[in-house]
Each structure stands twice: as C-alpha cells, then as structure tokens.
Amino acid sequence: MGRLGTGNSGDAGYEPASDPPRHRGSGIEKVDAVVVGSGFGGSVAALRLAEAGQSVVLMERGKPYPPGSFARSPSEMGRNFWDPDRGLYGLFDAWTFRGTEGLVSSGLGGGSLIYANVLLRKDEKWFVTESPIPGGGYENWPFTRADLDPYYDAAEAMLQPVPYPYKDTAKTLAMEKSAANLGLSITRPPIAVTFTAAPEMEPRTNHLLPLPGYGSIHGPATVRTTCTLSGECDIGCNAGAKNTLDHNYVSAAAFKGADVRTFHDVRGIRPLDSGTQGGGYEVRYVVHHPDRHGELLTERIIHCRRLILGAGTFGTNFLLLRNRGSLPALSDALGTRFSGNGDLLTFIMGAKTPPATGSRPGVRTLAGSRGPVITTAIRVPDSNDDDGDGRGYYVEDAGYPAFMNWLIETAQLGTTMKRTVKVAGQLLKDRLFDAGRSNVSADLAAALGDGRLSSSSVPLLGMGRDIPDGVMTLRDGKLAIAWTMATSKEYFGRVRETMESISKDLDGDFIDNPLWWAKRVITVHPIGGTPSGRHPGEAVCDSYGEVFGYPGLFVVDGAAMPGPVGANPSLTIAAFAERTCAHIIENADKAGHRGIRPDDAEGSSGASEKVTVEREAAGAVVDVGASAPRALAPDATKGKAAPEEQPASAVSEVPQARSRGLGRPGAPDAPDAPDAPDQETTSVRFTEQMHGWFSPGITDPEKGRSLGRDRSRKIMFELTIIAEDMEAFAADSNHPARAEGYVLADYFGGRMPVERGWFNLFVQDASDDGAPARRMLYRLWLRDPGGTPFTFTGHKLIRNEAGFDLWADTTTLYATILRGHVPPDAGTPDLVPPDAGQPVAGGAAQAGVVGAGILYIRPLDFAKQLTTFRAEGPAPAAGLVTFGKLFAGELWQVYGRGLRRIPFPFTSKQ
C-alpha cells in the first residue's frame, strides 16, 4: 500500500504503491474485490470482505485527512475544493443542477468527513411500498426495518454514536424548550462523536483518546482527542473527536489486509467475458498526482471478481451512466427517483428573551458555534404513522464554526461603520482636546461591538420524505439532474412552517436560505438514481444492491436507496452495506448463487446466472489494443469541456484483404493505402461537424433518429479528414482518406476519441433506375470509458431523385454503431449499405449492432467547414484546386444530367 498523504492542499500526498505480487508477470492486477469510494457504503464493504479473507482494493479519489490536517486559514480554504483540472484536490465537491445544488466530499472517509454526525435509524413505518409511477416519484422499499435492524446494530458497534451529553449548551436548551412550548417531539439523537476517553467517565473536552486495537490508517502517531465543542464538524474535525470512517471501518479494513489507495479515481467498468478466467469485471482508473496537475493521466486497469460501487449518489450514478455502453443490460430505471432527502436550510437570527417590566427585550443566547453541529432532532410524524398527516420530516439545530461569528458581525456594514466612526471620533476628540485619557480599552471594545447578532442566531436543518422524482442523465458527458421543488411544494411548506414557528417562539427573525426565492434547495444528502427493488422493470439493483443482469456488481451507497430515508441517511446506508456484505459472504460458496464465487478463479463456475456480455459484430478483429493505456483528463465530470483526451495506441495489425479500395490510411504496408506522406506530396484536410439523434437497440437509422429525438438521445462528431497525398487520393476511384477527431454521445459516456478512422469521399454506386450515384463512407474505431470497443459506420447517399436534393444528400449521414472494432473489409453495413431508411440485413451483422441514427450538417456548421480547408506540401494551391474539381465533378456526374429538367425556382418534380 502506498504512503497516505497528509498535506492540507494536496501537494504532499501520494507515493505510488509498489507492484503487488498478485499481478507481477500477468500485466493486469487481479483481486477478489474492488471497492470504489470510502464512504458509508464503501468503507463497510472493504472491512467485511477483508475480514472474510478476500483480497480487497479500496479506491478513493481524494486524499487522507488525519487529525490536524483540515483546512482552516483563508489560503487553505481557497484550495479546499475538488477540481483536478484546476489543480484543486481539496475536501469539498460542489455541484449545481436544475432545481438543486449539491455539496459532497472527496477524501478518505467519504461523506463522514463533513457530515453532522447524526446516526438515526429510518423510521419503521417510513419503509413504504407505493404503486409505481412512470419516471419515478414513488417509493417502493424492497426491505424493511426488521431486515436492517441487525445491521444497524453492527454499524453502531463500529461508529459508537451517543446522545449529546452536555447540559448547559445554549442552542440545545433553547431547541428543547421551544419544542416543549410547541408540543413537538424532540430528542437528542445519537451522534458519532467521542466526548469521553472511556464509557464510565464524565464528558471532558480535549482529552487524549487511545487508539483502537486495529490502529489507525493514518499511522501510529495519530493523535485524537475528545470533542472540543468547536462547531467544526462540517469542515473537518481537527481534534479527531468525530468517529469518521477513516478512524474505524477503513482503519480496521487496512488492518485486515485491505489495500487502501488514495488519489485513485475510477473511470470505467465493464464485465469480463465469461471465457475470461474467473470472470468478473475490468476496472479502469487513473491516479492523481497533485504535484503534476494539468497533465493528462495514464489509464490503468485492474480485474476483480466483485465490484462494489460506493462512490456516493453523484459518483456512482455518473460512473454507471458513463459506462452504459459497456453495461447495456442496465435497467431503464437508471437515473430515476433522485431525491435530496428533503433537505432545507433556514436561519433564526437575533433571538430575544421576553422583556422585563418597562424594559426592552434581551438577547437570547443561542451560540450556534458552541457544541457539535447537531445536538437535537425534532420529529414531525408522517401520515404512515398513527398520529401524522402528510409526509414526515425532522428539524435539527445546525451549528457552525466559530469564525463564522466574525463574518456574521462584519456583514452588518451599517452597524459596523457606525461603531467604528463613533469610536474614531471619540479618540480624535480626546487627542485634539488633550483629554488625558490613556486607557482606551472600552473604546476598542465598543468598536468591536457586543456580538449580539452572532450570539443569538442559529441555522435550522430540515430533512424528510420529499418526492423522489428527479432524473439523472448525462448531458454532453456531464452529470445533469432534472428536479423541481414544485412536486414537493406541500412538503417543503410544512417543514418551513415548523421552522418558522420555532423562530417565532424564540422571538427571532426567520430568514430563508437565499436559494429558496429562486425555487432551489441545496442538499448534502443526495439519494437515489440507482434504486433497489424487486425487478429490473422498477429498479437497477435488488434488495441487496446487486445490479440486475450483472452478478457480482453491487451498489452500496445512497444511490441504491429507492426513496428518501427521511432521517439523516448515513446509518441506513451503512446498515444496507452491512446487510449486502453479509449476503455476499454467506452465499459466496453456494452453487447457483447469482454472485461470483471465490473458486471461480480456478475456472469451476457453478453459477446459474452469467454476466451479460453482448456479442460483437461479425468481422470484428481481436481487440489487441484493449489493454493499451489511454491518456485521460484529470476531471471526467467536465464532459466535453474537459481537456482533449488521447486514445489508446492504434492496433498494429488487422486483416489486409482488399475491399473496394478501403485500406488503412497512413499504414504504408497496406496494399490499398496511400503511401506514407513525405515532403514531395501535397496533403489536404478539412474539419466536418455533424449533429443528430441515435437510439440503442435499433438497426434502422430512420427509426433510430425518430426515437432518439423523442428521448433526447443526441449524437455528434467532429472529424478532421486528411488526404495525405492529393494526387493519389484523386486517382484512386474510392478516394480514401484518414479521419481523426471524436464522437460525442451520452449513451456511450460522452466524448470518445477516434482511435482509427477511414473516410471515402465518393464510392461509385447506382440508383434503382440505373442512374449514376455515389456514397460517402465513414468508419471510426471508438472506445467507451469502460474500454469496450465500438465501430461507427456511416454513409451519405448521393442520388439524383425527385426535386432538388443535393443539399439533403450531401449533409445527411445514415449511421450504425457496431460492437467491436470491425475493419473495412468485414462486409459490414458501410460497404454494402442498405437503402436509406431500411434496416441492416439480419443474421450475424445485426447481432453486433448497438444502435442506429441519422446525423446532419447544420447550415452554420457547413459555413464553418468551408473555412477549415487547408493544404500542405509543395503545391498547396494546386491541391485545393484538385480537391475542388474532384468534388464538383463527382456531383456533376450525379446531378448534372437532371439540371435542365428542374424548373426555376427549384420546385419538386412530379
């Protein structure tokens, strides 16, 4: 295991691990389980599988945070965010979507590093089973509270939550008194914070804590102390009093032999063919090097029998959506039933005590910065409870770090200026008139003020059962969420009403979160997108988190929740992961279990269900470049806005049979390819961009376009066409050239660089009536994030049919995408293509068809294309003229004979 970094900014961090013995000589590392993420799902899985004797690799994209390493100064805070493209490797990962904002964490320990410690069990009657609604918006929990209770116990035994023990904390007492006045049910919930050095001791601040028997992932010199009541839980606990996952589950997992790797960012996953020894999954990842930010990262590969996804709701959904091309059997429920767990943030400002006779109201001390972030929880019952009406929720006090008090006070610019001017005037007066005062302490105290606003304010955090109808998708390769507050308006109204009543009882000013007025909320508890359920018609995974169609692939984080937890979800996620791991271990050696058994490594597979691995298209070559590393962008979440990635090395050998002149451009040993360019030849290049729609599972391009347009499944490409030798290009009847660039399709995870591309400007053909016709042919080798190879084939039909159709013919591309890398001589659709709008011939060719669609050149893109023509070599002008004559001449052969018969203006022929 590599050394874990400790720097605040991420600059001092990762030292690459030595080559593990288990993959020396084989080229690709192989383990029993890869766990992605170290949050409440991933850390649990790493420990329990390691305890069962399995070889486990835990991959966390962020860095470790031992006590004392969390950012505090302004310079540290300014770099405490996650954006590797900009050299930021910090704790906070902020997202913005339609209708909601999200704040999650990046670091060893996942969300536990910034959560507010509350470990509540999901209410028994909130495990609802509602009737399915298309697109989500319902809850149908496939497990019950009774199913989870033993695993709640197991998680609590590791996390050791206790109720807040102090009896004199102002905000706690105020919340309890207000709840009593309003008739609300309030408790001090269990929180994962250590207040005493031993169970029998009284709570005491800053008291040294002993390390557990399994030690600390941060090393034997790690120092942890009891809670200092600083309110810094949400920005990282420098005292180490928070029982974050790195201090328990992750440390115990490492003690049991799990290989914990930080700065490891998983990008691709795909199932291994059943013929692969041991089966399982291929995982592609990169390793961040903070000292070399800005550079593309080398892709790495590891194989595992089981793959456990615990990257958080945003991370897991993004990973599955990006790799849908490699996992085509994923349920259509992927991305549905997203929820923010009903999160709502408001503020009580300037609370006051009742006035005494003849006096003004006093300052009610709340001191939001004193104590841990959350100390109390008010529960408002649900209509599923015996005494509830509507959707249930919790309201909790939400503290903040002490430095926020200064921001609150200085934000009152008017009041601050008045105090400052008054004191400055008094000091100037004393100086001018020689008042003889030498002690100015009272004046300075007056300038600072009494801090009454900050001392009488506290945030309130609400959460509960909002309606889970958000939909997560990719848009240009970036994660997108369509969610609106409108459908949960009644729920949020009730939560806000309760909060306002608390504020009124404390005689404070109730302040909404500024986002509220924009009809937006911010969530720190994103839930759903990969919901668990009874069958793939309603869910992505089963009640144990195993993905339908992909045995051995598990989701163990908040993404698997089929609806809002209601209470703080951390404990429920941990219990769900505990239950999943117990299920895996219990069934590991049972024949017929859907999962992958440990003895599969010897090839003795007895499983009755296999991983879904799609057939490749007929003629696909052996993908010898599958393990060739690609150069990937530091931040995959940027989509097409990320730095341009580099494809894997081109396959060096493919079959060389001739087929209509379509050779391998640029390969001098190919019999039908142009010679390698040299200084004696003139090359011509231009860039073309096309946009359209695509649908998976369809072989008819016209149907694929229509269905894709209805479902917003866009596809586009930007290609640079290069004719290395213009004379040879013009002389060859098939006019072969090379294509470079990328294809962008969200179904395949976003932008895919072209690994190898073939283009033919015009190939002779004939119309049904015998008239001359031409085809423009495209063939592109691609690879999705999971490493699955695809071939994009397309053709433009140049035929002189009724009406003026030259523009439509030359700007419309009928596209089919095949599974596998299929060379031009394999007899696939672009060589003997069907008529426009007709499906590809059946049989073997159709078996590997992934989908089809149509792309178009838009007028503005065509205008830009005309500006991209470039020629290089000894005769660039002549090269461009040759290309123009060739293009115009071929079009004249097709359309010239019919021009005299077209009346002016160009009206359709009868």
Side-chain angles (χ1 to χ4, degrees):
M1 182 175 67
R3 177 177 61 85
L4 296 177
T6 60
N8 285 353
S9 66
D11 295 334
Y14 183 77
E15 178 181 301
S18 59
D19 196 22
R22 56 177 167 264
H23 88 298
R24 287 178 181 155
S26 66
I28 296 179
E29 187 178 2
K30 297 177 178 64
V31 296
D32 292 320
V34 168
V35 178
V36 183
S38 59
F40 283 95
S43 63
V44 170
L47 171 59
R48 299 311 181 196
L49 295 181
E51 283 181 331
Q54 298 192 21
S55 56
V56 177
V57 170
L58 184 151
M59 295 191 179
E60 165 58 51
R61 65 174 182 171
K63 65 178 181 178
Y65 288 91
S69 66
F70 292 100
R72 287 296 183 267
S73 71
S75 63
E76 291 173 345
M77 278 294 186
R79 298 188 57 80
N80 201 28
F81 292 86
W82 181 262
D83 190 340
D85 276 350
R86 299 187 180 183
L88 300 176
Y89 300 88
L91 180 62
F92 297 106
D93 189 12
W95 299 70
T96 182
F97 305 106
R98 175 186 167 190
T100 185
E101 317 289 336
L103 183 65
V104 294
S105 69
S106 180
L108 187 63
S112 73
L113 298 176
I114 66 170
Y115 85 134
N117 318 307
V118 177
L119 296 177
L120 283 169
R121 301 190 180 196
K122 179 176 173 65
D123 298 76
E124 182 176 359
K125 294 185 178 180
W126 292 11
F127 286 84
V128 297
T129 54
E130 299 172 337
S131 298
I133 301 173
Y138 69 96
E139 298 179 57
N140 199 338
W141 291 77
F143 47 88
T144 66
R145 169 68 176 268
D147 292 329
L148 288 187
D149 272 335
Y151 306 104
Y152 277 129
D153 294 339
E156 288 171 345
M158 288 295 298
L159 298 169
Q160 300 180 3
V162 295
Y164 181 59
Y166 288 92
K167 308 298 184 183
D168 58 351
T169 304
K171 65 171 184 174
T172 308
L173 299 177
M175 288 291 289
E176 290 173 337
K177 182 177 180 181
S178 180
N181 293 341
L182 298 171
L184 298 172
S185 173
I186 189 170
T187 61
R188 296 193 179 192
I191 55 177
V193 179
T194 303
F195 297 98
T196 64
E200 67 279 359
M201 297 178 63
E202 290 294 318
R204 177 182 172 186
T205 62
N206 206 30
H207 190 72
L208 188 65
L209 295 175
L211 292 181
Y214 46 74
S216 172
I217 189 71
H218 303 297
T222 301
V223 176
R224 298 180 62 196
T225 67
T226 55
C227 181
T228 57
L229 308 181
S230 62
E232 297 179 348
C233 310
D234 288 347
I235 61 172
C237 180
N238 272 331
K242 278 183 68 172
N243 301 332
T244 51
L245 297 166
D246 53 329
H247 294 313
N248 38 70
Y249 275 105
V250 175
S251 291
F255 180 76
K256 290 294 184 179
D259 188 347
V260 179
R261 305 179 183 179
T262 54
F263 288 116
H264 280 54
D265 193 351
V266 173
R267 300 294 179 83
I269 55 177
R270 67 166 175 165
L272 295 170
D273 189 271
S274 56
T276 303
Q277 186 182 34
Y281 294 88
E282 179 176 277
V283 179
R284 293 174 176 247
Y285 65 97
V286 296
V287 179
H288 293 287
H289 294 273
D291 55 338
R292 301 202 304 267
H293 70 265
E295 300 178 5
L296 294 180
L297 304 176
T298 301
E299 183 181 54
R300 307 187 186 195
I301 297 175
I302 185 173
H303 288 176
C304 58
R305 300 190 186 98
R306 289 189 183 87
L307 177 56
I308 315 295
L309 300 183
T313 296
F314 293 153
T316 291
N317 279 286
F318 182 63
L319 193 58
L320 290 174
L321 287 167
R322 285 194 83 218
N323 290 275
R324 196 162 196 168
S326 290
L327 303 167
L330 284 174
S331 165
D332 288 339
L334 179 63
T336 64
R337 289 152 73 180
F338 170 80
S339 161
N341 201 50
D343 283 3
L344 182 64
L345 177 65
T346 62
F347 305 90
I348 299 174
M349 307 290 285
K352 295 174 282 293
T353 58
T357 304
S359 65
R360 301 175 61 183
V363 175
R364 184 188 296 273
T365 300
L366 298 179
S369 61
R370 179 67 174 172
V373 169
I374 293 175
T375 62
T376 62
I378 292 174
R379 180 185 183 276
V380 178
D382 189 273
S383 57
N384 293 290
D385 299 316
D386 297 332
D387 54 347
D389 182 21
R391 303 179 79 87
Y393 54 92
Y394 287 81
V395 174
E396 300 165 348
D397 62 296
Y400 51 83
F403 67 78
M404 291 296 297
N405 290 324
W406 291 100
L407 298 180
I408 294 172
E409 293 297 333
T410 55
Q412 304 174 80
L413 294 179
T415 303
T416 302
M417 287 298 296
K418 287 180 181 179
R419 291 199 308 264
T420 303
V421 169
K422 182 178 179 180
V423 171
Q426 181 62 47
L427 293 176
L428 179 61
K429 179 181 175 182
D430 291 346
R431 178 69 63 181
L432 290 176
F433 297 100
D434 194 17
R437 286 199 310 139
S438 58
N439 190 316
V440 293
S441 299
D443 299 284
L444 296 179
L448 291 175
D450 56 10
R452 66 170 57 199
L453 182 62
S454 58
S455 66
S456 60
S457 302
V458 70
L460 295 178
L461 178 63
M463 64 195 73
R465 292 188 56 235
D466 63 343
I467 296 177
D469 57 356
V471 178
M472 310 178 81
T473 58
L474 292 184
R475 186 174 302 157
D476 293 336
K478 296 179 290 187
L479 184 64
I481 299 178
W483 181 90
T484 174
M485 187 188 293
T487 52
S488 297
K489 183 177 180 180
E490 181 180 351
Y491 160 81
F492 283 110
R494 295 179 65 231
V495 177
R496 185 175 177 275
E497 182 179 346
T498 299
M499 292 175 163
E500 192 168 11
S501 67
I502 296 171
S503 177
K504 184 177 180 180
D505 183 74
L506 297 176
D507 199 9
D509 298 321
F510 180 72
I511 307 297
D512 283 302
N513 183 332
L515 293 172
W516 173 264
W517 301 109
K519 299 188 182 302
R520 301 175 65 83
V521 297
I522 182 169
T523 180
V524 293
H525 302 128
I527 290 293
T530 313
S532 56
R534 298 165 297 177
H535 55 79
E538 69 171 16
V540 176
C541 53
D542 65 15
S543 63
Y544 293 99
E546 191 167 21
V547 176
F548 291 114
Y550 295 98
L553 174 60
F554 292 85
V555 177
V556 294
D557 55 24
M561 299 296 103
V565 174
N568 309 65
S570 302
L571 184 62
T572 297
I573 295 170
F576 178 79
E578 288 275 11
R579 180 172 179 261
T580 295
C581 293
H583 174 75
I584 293 173
I585 295 167
E586 178 183 353
N587 293 279
D589 298 319
K590 291 184 179 179
H593 174 54
R594 290 168 23 120
I596 302 172
R597 301 178 297 120
D599 58 357
D600 285 346
E602 281 66 48
S604 57
S605 176
S608 61
E609 183 176 343
K610 298 295 184 182
V611 175
T612 303
V613 179
E614 299 294 323
R615 292 177 56 189
E616 290 189 338
V621 298
V622 176
D623 191 15
V624 297
S627 59
R630 295 175 286 188
L632 304 183
D635 189 353
T637 66
K638 301 292 181 62
K640 70 175 184 179
E644 185 175 348
E645 299 180 338
Q646 299 298 320
S649 302
V651 179
S652 58
E653 295 293 335
V654 296
Q656 299 295 324
R658 295 175 62 91
S659 180
R660 302 194 60 165
L662 278 176
R664 292 169 45 237
D669 58 339
D672 49 2
D675 293 335
D678 55 41
Q679 296 180 352
E680 302 301 321
T681 64
T682 297
S683 65
V684 172
R685 68 176 61 207
F686 64 91
T687 299
E688 181 177 61
Q689 191 175 107
M690 300 190 74
H691 298 257
W693 293 272
F694 156 90
S695 284
I698 303 295
T699 58
D700 179 349
E702 183 60 47
K703 290 182 179 179
R705 180 205 65 84
S706 178
L707 185 59
R709 187 169 187 170
D710 291 342
R711 299 185 178 181
S712 296
R713 286 177 173 157
K714 297 181 180 180
I715 186 171
M716 66 84 65
F717 68 58
E718 182 175 297
L719 299 177
T720 297
I721 307 300
I722 305 169
E724 300 285 3
D725 184 340
M726 196 59 225
E727 291 185 5
F729 175 79
D732 192 318
S733 61
N734 292 299
H735 314 300
R738 175 163 50 91
E740 298 177 348
Y742 67 88
V743 174
L744 177 66
D746 288 332
Y747 179 83
F748 297 100
R751 185 170 62 186
M752 295 183 290
V754 174
E755 292 191 3
R756 176 164 295 174
W758 293 261
F759 171 78
N760 289 79
L761 181 62
F762 290 109
V763 174
Q764 292 190 6
D765 197 9
S767 300
D768 295 338
D769 59 1
R774 301 289 187 271
R775 295 180 187 268
M776 294 186 193
L777 302 182
Y778 297 72
R779 179 172 292 259
L780 311 172
W781 281 4
L782 310 168
R783 196 179 300 275
D784 76 346
T788 299
F790 296 96
T791 299
F792 176 103
T793 66
H795 59 274
K796 296 176 182 176
L797 300 174
I798 314 300
R799 297 181 180 180
N800 189 11
E801 298 175 327
F804 181 72
D805 53 356
L806 186 152
W807 170 259
D809 288 351
T810 56
T811 61
T812 302
L813 181 71
Y814 299 90
T816 302
I817 297 181
L818 311 174
R819 188 172 297 274
H821 279 165
V822 184
D825 53 357
T828 42
D830 65 345
L831 302 182
V832 189
D835 291 336
Q838 296 300 314
V840 177
Q846 271 191 332
V849 174
V850 177
I854 299 178
L855 291 82
Y856 305 91
I857 299 178
R858 302 180 299 198
L860 181 60
D861 292 331
F862 178 72
K864 293 179 180 178
Q865 179 177 331
L866 295 178
T867 69
T868 65
F869 279 84
R870 299 288 186 274
E872 297 178 356
L880 291 174
V881 170
T882 301
F883 184 91
K885 286 183 177 180
L886 171 64
F887 195 90
E890 293 288 350
L891 292 181
W892 178 259
Q893 291 294 322
V894 176
Y895 299 103
R897 298 180 180 182
L899 290 179
R900 295 182 180 180
R901 300 195 300 269
I902 301 178
F904 182 86
F906 304 108
T907 56
S908 300
K909 295 182 293 185
Q910 299 297 319

